[in-house]
Amino acid sequence: MASSHATPVNRQFRLRNRPVGRIKTSDFDLVEAAPPEPGEREALVRTLYLSLDPTNRIWMSDMDQYMPPVEIGAVMRGGGLGLVVQSNSARYKEGDIVSGLTNWQDYSIAGERPDNMMGVIPKGLPVPLTAMMGACGMTGLTAYFGLLEHGRPKEGDTLLVSAAAGAVGSVVGQIGKIKGCRVVGIAGGADKCRFIVEQLGFDAAIDYKRGDWREALAAATPEGIDINFENVGGEIMDAVMARMNLYSRMPLCGMISGYNSGELMRGDFSPILMRRIRISGFIVTDFAAKFAEGSVQLAQWVAGGLIKHHETIVEGLENAPVAVNRLFDGQNIGKLIVKVSEAPVQ
Ligand SMILES: NC(=O)c1ccc[n+]([C@@H]2O[C@H](COP(=O)([O-])OP(=O)(O)OC[C@H]3O[C@@H](n4cnc5c(N)ncnc54)[C@H](OP(=O)(O)O)[C@@H]3O)[C@@H](O)[C@H]2O)c1
């Protein structure tokens, strides 16, 4: 761990080549550099936790995307939580915990420009620190704004959520319950299906790894689907589309089933016309101006037990390139996080 080195070393994963299919350790060079020197109005940040996200796979590729791809030779981009260990900026104090693009490395720089600014996490939170990466952080905010602003849930709506036991999906379903929806989740495997019903309060779960999942989808949505919070794309999205109601909504959050192949689906548009389905793609940063409001509401729900926060934590920065594949193998429940170094007691 970085904190145990006498002289701090900054381990960095630099992208060696664009992965083909699954991510491999050999797609990166692990180099050891000196920690960067913070300049004027900058602070040095030691990474505590790294967020592993399906979008890491998008950033490694050169597919059409919402941010520039990571350049070959550059440090892999990634969100994280870090500790300010040195500061030349009035915005950051030593000992502050910050959230932002720490990237896949031990040390990063937080600045005051929009492109290198990090958010200071308030002290004395009523939720665990790691929830600020999950249910109350970026993935929770994705669920919150995607569902409320694009899905527009109403009491009694049938809400369908895919990747339902994951970071975004698990929060979507729980917000749906708060809003009075009948919530049906799609997840891979019996354990995840039990988890979302028994622990998260979903009304029904469909195991898409079973041969009869299409029949199970029909049985679980006898009155059709009013909102589909789409996380996976591919044949699951096609099957769900066929059950969407007139004037239904489909927040299009992600299409993880196509990220490794780079082949995002080409679908049949006719149900969109015939049933006037409103499909709206969004990226969480569209709502950046309202993040504080969303985080406060999510933290209240988590602290009050209305939303349960779950996470899968992998130890050690060195394991990031292997661990990120868990998202594609379904080997995570809730938010997937790498613990990079020890957080101070707040
Ligand atoms: N628009 C935005 O701003 C935004 C922000 C964050 C995330 N996202 C998107 O939201 C989705 C979920 O992200 P997350 O961070 O919450 O990840 P996650 O759900 O915690 O992890 C990904 C899950 O996807 C499922 N999955 C993987 N490959 C699949 C496949 N081929 N078919 C069906 N399910 C598959 C796996 O669960 P199973 O075991 O159930 O298969 C896996 O656990 C992703 O598509 C991501 O790109 C979008």
Side-chain angles (χ1 to χ4, degrees):
M1 227 173 276
S3 53
S4 64
H5 288 281
T7 309
V9 169
N10 190 21
R11 295 169 300 166
Q12 303 181 310
F13 278 106
R14 297 189 186 163
L15 188 64
R16 182 188 296 168
N17 51 258
R18 304 207 180 279
V20 177
R22 281 170 68 81
I23 298 160
K24 295 182 290 304
T25 305
S26 60
D27 294 324
F28 299 90
D29 289 310
L30 177 57
V31 300
E32 294 197 347
E37 284 285 334
E40 243 178 83
R41 301 159 74 102
E42 288 183 343
L44 180 65
V45 173
R46 168 161 63 78
T47 310
L48 301 173
Y49 295 100
L50 189 61
S51 170
L52 293 183
D53 299 282
T55 201
N56 291 140
R57 181 66 184 84
I58 296 178
W59 293 338
M60 289 171 201
S61 79
D62 55 8
M63 72 168 74
D64 183 21
Q65 53 193 281
Y66 61 94
M67 278 175 88
V70 175
E71 284 176 26
I72 301 297
V75 178
M76 180 57 208
R77 185 187 297 139
L81 293 179
L83 178 72
V84 174
V85 290
Q86 187 187 335
S87 180
N88 303 326
S89 160
R91 192 183 149 77
Y92 309 99
K93 288 192 301 299
E94 264 180 49
D96 279 349
I97 294 187
V98 291
S99 153
L101 286 177
T102 56
N103 299 332
W104 288 21
Q105 58 187 349
D106 289 304
Y107 290 93
S108 56
I109 294 290
E112 297 182 7
R113 300 189 314 264
D115 65 313
N116 68 357
M117 196 178 287
M118 295 196 190
V120 178
I121 307 263
K123 292 197 168 55
L125 287 172
V127 297
L129 180 59
T130 48
M132 298 312 288
M133 314 181 85
C136 308
M138 223 34 113
T139 49
L141 291 166
T142 304
Y144 182 86
F145 290 113
L147 180 62
L148 298 186
E149 305 258 347
H150 289 279
R152 300 192 191 159
K154 295 188 307 298
E155 189 141 355
D157 277 350
T158 296
L159 164 64
L160 191 289
V161 191
S162 46
V168 173
S170 60
V171 177
V172 169
Q174 293 181 88
I175 298 175
K177 287 307 296 176
I178 292 169
K179 297 293 171 188
C181 298
R182 179 165 182 280
V183 179
V184 180
I186 301 187
D191 288 348
K192 286 190 176 183
C193 287
R194 248 193 321 275
F195 165 73
I196 60 176
V197 171
E198 291 175 7
Q199 295 204 39
L200 305 186
F202 283 47
D203 296 284
I206 295 147
D207 176 0
Y208 75 90
K209 295 199 170 158
R210 286 176 55 128
D212 61 353
W213 66 270
R214 289 168 196 276
E215 292 78 10
L217 174 64
T221 56
E223 292 175 20
I225 296 166
D226 300 301
I227 307 167
N228 171 35
F229 194 101
E230 185 57 56
N231 280 326
V232 304
E235 57 177 350
I236 292 178
M237 178 167 160
D238 269 342
V240 170
M241 185 95 91
R243 298 201 55 74
M244 297 292 286
N245 288 334
L246 191 63
Y247 300 121
S248 52
R249 286 86 65 204
M250 188 186 297
L252 180 49
C253 175
M255 305 177 91
I256 191 171
S257 66
Y259 296 171
N260 273 335
S261 66
E263 285 170 18
L264 303 192
M265 65 191 290
R266 310 273 176 270
D268 172 8
F269 283 17
S270 58
I272 305 170
L273 169 64
M274 302 308 170
R275 276 169 271 133
R276 285 79 115 193
I277 305 169
R278 198 164 50 80
I279 301 184
S280 40
F282 72 95
I283 296 293
V284 61
T285 46
D286 299 344
F287 300 98
K290 298 203 272 187
F291 277 176
E293 169 204 317
S295 290
V296 167
Q297 175 62 88
L298 287 161
Q300 281 169 357
W301 281 336
V302 172
L306 285 172
I307 289 186
K308 295 196 175 94
H309 167 72
H310 283 266
E311 57 197 15
T312 301
I313 298 190
V314 174
E315 295 273 339
L317 176 67
E318 63 282 7
N319 294 315
V322 172
V324 73
N325 282 306
R326 287 180 174 225
L327 297 165
F328 300 93
D329 300 337
Q331 287 179 352
N332 66 303
I333 287 197
K335 179 76 198 123
L336 183 61
I337 293 171
V338 173
K339 182 176 175 186
V340 178
S341 68
E342 210 59 53
V345 179
Q346 286 282 289

